Amino acid sequence: MAQWTSAIGSAQLGRLLTSQQPRPAGPGTRRPPAYRALADGIRLLVLEGRVPVATRLPAERELAQALSVSRTTVAAAYEALRGEGFLESRRGAGSWTAVPAGKPLPARGLEPLPPEALGSIIDLGTAALPAPEPWLTRAVQGALEELPPYAHTHGDYPAGLPALRTMIAERYTAHGIPTMPEQIMVTTGAMGAIDAICHLFAGHGERVAVESPSYANILQLMREAGLRLVPVAMADGLAGWDLDRWRQVLRDAAPRLAYVVADFHNPTGALADEEQRRSLVDAARSAGTVLVVDETMTELHFDRDREMPRRVCAFDPAGSTVVTVGSASKAFWAGMRIGWVRAAPDVIRSLVAARAYADLGTPVLEQLAVNWLLNTGGWEEAVELRRGQARENRDALVAALRRELPAWEFDVPDGGLTLWVKAGGLSGSRLAEVGERVGVRVPSGPRFGVDGAFEGYVRLPFTVSGAVADEAAVRLAAAARLVTDGQGAGGDVPRTLIA
Ligand SMILES: Cc1ncc(COP(=O)(O)O)c(C=O)c1O
């Protein structure tokens, strides 16, 4: 069987290659031969995740024609890439992109530092904010008052407390998506929801299409469940979802699941418009793929004057294609560990049945606390506080980065919690390594990619403000200087993307 999971046409590859900024030629530098320039261009596209790993490249003759170069040039470029481990080929199956074997590029998830270990480190590893007090205290007090009737039960509610399921269902209905409580299961965070969904729908070895980049911990959860990740490159900047690519991947790879974060995507911050949402649902429906939509960031929109696009499930209200995941972690507090699934009632029944062999249920007290917030209107007030904090943090971080690291490139999203930053040609992995030494913790780009893509990126969350944001940028600039001077600790990862 061929080792590729999607293909790129010569016209599209040509466009991507010409969109690359030419590398500035230093004094006395000779232009590289044409085959080398082509090989470097393709390698950079792979490292930046713009051409995902396991993408079949066009045949030599076809690419030569599209780029108006000789076939020998393309053959020599492909040969060079094969030699460097960025391309694999098999007679009859073609050539597909790869990353060099034996280079332990970090692709694991993100392990948060325990709060007591933080000390003098500025932790930009986790995209989560402290609790929006006084709402946490009030919600827990409210929950304690409502606990007595539940204390007389066995306390196992594998689908979630009926009162909370009803409350969550009513919120979807209020958004114009009629929902019954039977369509909701309360879970232990969005992570618990997606874990359960993966187990129900996709067996070991089955394919899941994922945005490239995507949220690191979900990618790792899927890898550990034995799923085969099929990356679909996000378009540049905040443009997000390239529907031609999605349609092609869903058609070619026919994955069992596709996982998307359409609202303030983690890490890029992109927000899908209604047309992208409708088209994603249509493409998934045609391919027979279940579209898992993670709405963890949905409520963190900063622009009051802008109407949010309709939820993705509005384009499939019965839930035959779309399974929606929600969470209290970003809108309220990650320490609650409350998430939920919205799906067709039969899907919820299967998820609930399977739960007997997983975590049995979600803690009752925390469910009561979230229910109290939703019932009293405390939720809306807490979320409004959150939005204000996150917006202020974003502005502080953006200003500090522009001052300290003017060569770093990023787009500024209108919500969510993350900035996806191209680190001026430096290796994100080295920056992460050196950052720990100078007192700032940042996750490197490859954690958000599949198989080593995004080496030139770091993800910075909106979790610090004021003087701490300034200091974070100062430390990042110190790390960048150390990496530029070649003082990053060893490892196989190249210091910069330019070999
Ligand atoms: C897109 C996305 N999904 C899920 C999660 C984890 O959510 P939870 O804390 O509800 O498990 C996060 C946290 O960063 C996230 O950004």
Side-chain angles (χ1 to χ4, degrees):
M1 198 177 74
Q3 297 298 300
W4 49 272
T5 47
S6 62
I8 185 166
S10 51
Q12 197 188 355
L13 182 55
R15 270 196 303 277
L16 286 174
L17 285 165
T18 42
S19 73
Q20 286 173 326
Q21 286 179 353
R23 202 194 306 173
T29 336
R30 263 200 259 124
R31 272 157 65 97
Y35 87 89
R36 190 63 260 172
L38 178 57
D40 282 352
I42 294 176
R43 193 185 47 152
L44 196 57
L45 288 174
V46 173
L47 281 171
E48 288 189 346
R50 298 172 76 197
V51 172
V53 170
T55 299
R56 191 183 56 175
L57 295 189
E60 290 169 6
R61 187 192 307 274
E62 204 189 313
L63 186 60
Q65 241 168 28
L67 300 180
S68 307
V69 297
S70 74
R71 188 173 165 187
T72 332
T73 300
V74 179
Y78 279 14
E79 190 49 44
L81 288 167
R82 259 190 297 274
E84 294 157 5
F86 285 96
L87 198 68
E88 290 175 19
S89 308
R90 179 144 359 104
R91 197 178 294 280
S95 297
W96 54 93
T97 53
V99 287
K103 285 203 171 181
L105 294 164
R108 289 194 61 80
L110 304 167
E111 299 95 31
L113 283 180
E116 62 277 11
L118 284 178
S120 58
I121 280 225
I122 299 176
D123 185 11
L124 299 182
T126 304
L129 294 165
E133 286 290 35
W135 293 105
L136 176 63
T137 306
R138 287 190 194 163
V140 173
Q141 278 162 353
L144 277 174
E145 282 165 24
E146 285 167 19
L147 188 62
Y150 293 94
H152 298 295
T153 71
H154 56 47
D156 277 343
Y157 292 89
L161 294 185
L164 181 56
R165 293 176 78 192
T166 304
M167 204 61 227
I168 294 171
E170 280 173 7
R171 286 171 61 82
Y172 283 103
T173 305
H175 275 107
I177 308 146
T179 304
M180 301 175 294
E182 293 74 20
Q183 288 179 264
I184 303 292
M185 173 169 103
V186 180
T187 59
T188 308
M191 291 300 288
I194 291 165
D195 188 44
I197 292 165
C198 288
H199 275 93
L200 179 68
F201 284 105
H204 197 92
E206 286 198 271
R207 290 173 177 171
V208 185
V210 292
E211 293 142 338
S212 178
S214 182
Y215 173 49
N217 287 348
I218 293 292
L219 294 180
Q220 189 62 14
L221 181 156
M222 290 174 171
R223 285 187 195 101
E224 292 190 1
L227 307 183
R228 285 177 61 194
L229 303 181
V230 181
V232 188
M234 294 288 273
D236 279 345
L238 297 175
W241 297 260
D242 176 337
L243 263 302
D244 285 340
R245 268 183 229 168
W246 274 94
R247 274 187 282 267
Q248 190 189 358
V249 170
L250 295 183
R251 201 175 47 231
D252 292 352
R256 190 75 190 89
L257 296 174
Y259 167 73
V260 297
V261 183
D263 300 318
F264 309 116
H265 173 257
N266 185 354
T268 64
L271 173 68
D273 62 27
E274 289 209 358
E275 200 37 50
Q276 288 170 318
R277 290 165 196 248
R278 187 195 309 277
S279 304
L280 270 173
V281 174
D282 287 347
R285 191 181 287 121
S286 310
T289 297
V290 174
L291 185 62
V292 182
V293 180
D294 182 339
E295 292 189 342
T296 295
M297 299 284 188
T298 302
E299 296 197 50
L300 287 183
H301 48 86
F302 300 161
D303 185 352
R304 280 201 194 87
D305 301 330
R306 179 169 166 190
E307 205 183 321
M308 279 286 284
R310 275 179 290 166
R311 306 280 178 105
V312 178
C313 58
F315 300 97
D316 175 44
S320 53
T321 296
V322 176
V323 172
T324 305
V325 170
S327 171
S329 288
K330 309 293 166 181
F332 187 68
W333 187 46
M336 295 302 262
R337 308 305 312 135
I338 298 282
W340 57 88
V341 181
R342 179 196 184 275
D346 61 324
V347 171
I348 295 293
R349 275 195 297 278
S350 305
L351 288 169
V352 171
R355 207 167 185 190
Y357 318 109
D359 63 355
L360 270 179
T362 301
V364 170
L365 196 63
E366 278 77 354
Q367 292 191 69
L368 286 174
V370 170
N371 194 44
W372 182 90
L373 283 165
L374 293 173
N375 261 313
T376 57
W379 178 272
E380 306 304 336
E381 295 201 33
V383 173
E384 203 42 47
L385 263 180
R386 270 268 168 278
R387 291 186 189 124
Q389 277 171 336
R391 192 174 33 224
E392 193 184 313
N393 291 354
R394 177 200 63 181
D395 294 346
L397 186 65
V398 164
L401 287 173
R402 290 203 170 129
R403 193 171 54 242
E404 299 296 331
L405 289 153
W408 288 20
E409 295 164 54
F410 50 83
D411 287 288
V412 182
D414 247 350
L417 280 174
T418 57
L419 214 53
W420 183 234
V421 181
K422 202 168 181 180
L426 297 179
S427 150
S429 303
R430 284 285 172 95
L431 282 166
E433 236 170 65
V434 173
E436 298 266 346
R437 286 202 260 134
V438 299
V440 60
R441 189 168 200 252
V442 282
S444 65
R447 289 173 181 269
F448 302 86
V450 175
D451 301 323
F454 306 113
E455 186 45 55
Y457 289 77
V458 289
R459 188 202 70 175
L460 304 178
F462 314 148
T463 48
V464 288
S465 64
V468 186
D470 289 344
E471 181 58 24
V474 166
R475 292 183 190 183
L476 284 169
R481 277 193 299 277
L482 286 173
V483 173
T484 309
D485 295 347
Q487 292 181 45
D492 283 328
V493 181
R495 188 161 57 88
T496 67
L497 287 181
I498 299 158

Coordinates of all heavy atoms in Angstrom, one line a residue, residues 110 126-128 188-192 194 215 217-218 259 261 264-266 294-297 325-330 334 337-339 417-418 459, ligand 1:
L110 N 1.3 18.7 25.5 CA 1.8 19.7 26.4 C 1.6 19.3 27.8 O 0.4 19.1 28.2 CB 1.1 21.0 26.2 CG 1.1 21.5 24.7 CD1 0.1 22.6 24.5 CD2 2.5 22.0 24.4
T126 N 0.8 26.7 28.7 CA -0.6 26.3 28.8 C -1.5 27.5 28.5 O -1.4 28.6 29.0 CB -0.9 25.9 30.2 OG1 0.0 24.8 30.5 CG2 -2.3 25.3 30.4
A127 N -2.5 27.3 27.6 CA -3.4 28.4 27.2 C -4.6 28.3 28.1 O -5.7 27.9 27.7 CB -3.8 28.2 25.7
A128 N -4.5 28.7 29.3 CA -5.6 28.7 30.3 C -5.4 29.8 31.3 O -4.3 30.0 31.7 CB -5.8 27.3 30.9
T188 N -15.6 14.7 31.2 CA -14.6 15.3 32.0 C -13.7 16.1 31.0 O -12.7 15.6 30.5 CB -13.8 14.1 32.7 OG1 -14.7 13.3 33.4 CG2 -12.8 14.7 33.7
G189 N -14.1 17.3 30.8 CA -13.4 18.2 29.9 C -13.6 17.8 28.5 O -14.2 16.8 28.2
A190 N -13.2 18.7 27.6 CA -13.2 18.4 26.2 C -12.3 17.2 25.9 O -12.6 16.4 25.0 CB -12.8 19.6 25.3
M191 N -11.2 17.1 26.6 CA -10.3 16.0 26.4 C -11.1 14.6 26.6 O -11.0 13.7 25.8 CB -9.1 16.0 27.3 CG -8.2 17.1 27.1 SD -7.4 17.1 25.5 CE -6.3 15.7 25.6
G192 N -11.9 14.6 27.7 CA -12.6 13.4 27.9 C -13.6 13.1 26.8 O -13.9 12.0 26.4
I194 N -13.4 14.0 23.6 CA -12.8 13.6 22.4 C -12.2 12.2 22.5 O -12.3 11.4 21.6 CB -11.8 14.7 21.9 CG1 -12.6 15.9 21.5 CG2 -11.0 14.2 20.7 CD1 -11.8 17.2 21.4
Y215 N -4.4 21.4 17.8 CA -4.1 21.4 19.3 C -3.3 20.2 19.7 O -3.7 19.0 19.5 CB -5.4 21.5 20.0 CG -5.3 21.4 21.5 CD1 -4.4 22.1 22.2 CD2 -6.1 20.5 22.2 CE1 -4.3 22.0 23.6 CE2 -6.0 20.4 23.6 CZ -5.1 21.1 24.2 OH -5.0 21.0 25.6
N217 N -2.4 18.5 22.4 CA -2.8 17.4 23.3 C -3.8 16.5 22.6 O -3.9 15.3 22.8 CB -3.4 17.9 24.6 CG -2.3 18.5 25.5 OD1 -1.1 18.2 25.2 ND2 -2.7 19.2 26.5
I218 N -4.7 17.0 21.7 CA -5.6 16.2 21.0 C -4.8 15.3 19.9 O -5.1 14.1 19.8 CB -6.7 17.0 20.3 CG1 -7.6 17.7 21.3 CG2 -7.5 16.2 19.3 CD1 -8.5 16.8 22.2
Y259 N -11.3 16.2 12.7 CA -11.3 17.0 13.9 C -11.0 18.5 13.6 O -9.9 18.7 13.0 CB -10.3 16.4 15.0 CG -10.1 17.4 16.1 CD1 -11.0 17.5 17.1 CD2 -8.9 18.1 16.2 CE1 -10.8 18.4 18.2 CE2 -8.6 18.9 17.3 CZ -9.6 19.1 18.3 OH -9.4 19.9 19.3
V261 N -11.2 22.8 14.9 CA -11.5 23.8 15.9 C -11.9 25.1 15.1 O -11.0 25.8 14.7 CB -10.3 24.1 16.8 CG1 -10.6 25.1 17.9 CG2 -9.8 22.8 17.4
F264 N -11.7 30.3 16.7 CA -10.4 30.7 17.3 C -9.5 29.5 17.5 O -9.1 29.2 18.6 CB -10.7 31.5 18.6 CG -11.6 32.6 18.4 CD1 -12.9 32.6 19.0 CD2 -11.3 33.6 17.5 CE1 -13.8 33.6 18.7 CE2 -12.3 34.6 17.2 CZ -13.5 34.6 17.8
H265 N -9.3 28.9 16.4 CA -8.5 27.7 16.3 C -7.2 27.8 17.1 O -6.5 28.8 17.1 CB -8.1 27.5 14.8 CG -7.2 26.5 14.5 ND1 -5.8 26.7 14.2 CD2 -7.4 25.1 14.4 CE1 -5.3 25.5 14.0 NE2 -6.1 24.6 14.1
N266 N -6.9 26.7 17.8 CA -5.7 26.5 18.6 C -4.7 25.7 17.7 O -5.0 24.6 17.4 CB -6.0 25.8 19.9 CG -4.8 25.7 20.8 OD1 -3.7 26.1 20.5 ND2 -5.0 25.2 22.0
D294 N -14.7 21.0 17.8 CA -14.3 21.4 19.2 C -14.6 22.8 19.4 O -13.9 23.7 18.8 CB -12.8 21.1 19.3 CG -12.2 21.3 20.7 OD1 -12.9 22.1 21.5 OD2 -11.2 20.8 21.0
E295 N -15.6 23.1 20.3 CA -16.0 24.5 20.5 C -15.4 25.0 21.8 O -16.0 25.9 22.4 CB -17.5 24.6 20.5 CG -18.1 24.3 19.1 CD -19.6 24.6 19.1 OE1 -20.3 24.7 20.1 OE2 -20.1 24.8 18.0
T296 N -14.3 24.5 22.3 CA -13.7 24.9 23.5 C -13.5 26.4 23.6 O -13.6 27.1 24.6 CB -12.4 24.2 23.7 OG1 -12.7 22.8 23.8 CG2 -11.6 24.6 24.9
M297 N -13.1 27.1 22.4 CA -12.8 28.5 22.4 C -13.9 29.4 22.0 O -13.8 30.6 22.0 CB -11.6 28.7 21.4 CG -10.3 28.0 21.7 SD -9.4 28.8 23.0 CE -7.9 27.9 23.0
V325 N -18.2 19.3 20.5 CA -17.6 19.1 21.8 C -17.6 20.5 22.4 O -17.1 21.5 21.7 CB -16.2 18.5 21.7 CG1 -15.5 18.6 23.0 CG2 -16.3 17.1 21.2
G326 N -18.0 20.7 23.7 CA -17.9 22.0 24.3 C -17.1 21.8 25.6 O -16.9 20.7 26.1
S327 N -16.8 22.9 26.3 CA -16.0 22.9 27.5 C -16.2 24.1 28.3 O -16.4 25.2 27.8 CB -14.6 22.7 27.1 OG -13.8 22.8 28.3
A328 N -16.1 24.0 29.6 CA -16.1 25.1 30.5 C -14.7 25.7 30.7 O -14.5 26.7 31.4 CB -16.7 24.8 31.9
S329 N -13.7 25.0 30.2 CA -12.3 25.3 30.5 C -11.8 26.6 30.1 O -11.0 27.2 30.8 CB -11.3 24.2 29.9 OG -11.5 23.0 30.6
K330 N -12.2 27.1 28.9 CA -11.6 28.4 28.5 C -12.6 29.5 28.8 O -12.2 30.6 29.2 CB -11.4 28.4 27.0 CG -10.6 27.2 26.5 CD -9.1 27.3 27.0 CE -8.5 25.9 26.8 NZ -7.1 25.8 27.2
A334 N -10.4 25.9 33.7 CA -10.0 24.6 33.3 C -10.0 23.6 34.5 O -10.2 22.4 34.3 CB -8.6 24.6 32.7
R337 N -12.9 20.9 35.0 CA -12.9 19.7 34.2 C -14.3 19.3 33.7 O -14.7 18.2 33.8 CB -12.2 18.5 35.0 CG -10.9 18.8 35.5 CD -9.9 19.3 34.5 NE -9.8 18.5 33.3 CZ -9.7 19.1 32.1 NH1 -9.7 20.4 31.9 NH2 -9.7 18.3 31.1
I338 N -15.1 20.3 33.3 CA -16.4 20.0 32.7 C -16.4 20.2 31.2 O -16.0 21.3 30.8 CB -17.5 20.9 33.4 CG1 -17.6 20.6 34.9 CG2 -18.8 20.7 32.7 CD1 -18.3 19.4 35.3
G339 N -16.8 19.2 30.5 CA -17.0 19.4 29.0 C -18.3 18.7 28.7 O -19.0 18.2 29.5
L417 N -7.2 32.2 22.6 CA -6.1 32.4 23.6 C -4.7 32.2 23.1 O -3.8 32.2 23.8 CB -6.3 31.4 24.7 CG -7.4 31.6 25.8 CD1 -7.6 30.5 26.7 CD2 -7.1 32.9 26.6
T418 N -4.6 32.2 21.7 CA -3.2 31.8 21.2 C -2.8 32.7 20.1 O -3.6 33.1 19.2 CB -3.2 30.3 20.8 OG1 -4.2 30.1 19.8 CG2 -3.4 29.4 22.0
R459 N 4.2 28.7 19.9 CA 2.8 29.2 20.2 C 2.9 29.9 21.5 O 3.4 29.5 22.5 CB 1.9 28.0 20.4 CG 0.4 28.5 20.5 CD -0.5 27.5 21.1 NE -0.2 27.3 22.6 CZ -0.9 26.5 23.4 NH1 -1.9 25.8 22.9 NH2 -0.5 26.4 24.7
Ligands
LIG1 C1 -9.0 23.4 21.2 C2 -8.9 22.8 22.6 N1 -9.6 21.7 22.8 C3 -9.6 21.1 24.1 C4 -8.8 21.6 25.1 C5 -8.8 21.0 26.4 O1 -10.0 21.2 27.0 P1 -10.5 20.7 28.4 O2 -9.7 21.4 29.4 O3 -11.9 21.0 28.5 O4 -10.2 19.2 28.4 C6 -8.1 22.8 24.8 C7 -7.2 23.4 25.9 O5 -6.3 24.1 25.6 C8 -8.1 23.4 23.6 O6 -7.4 24.5 23.3

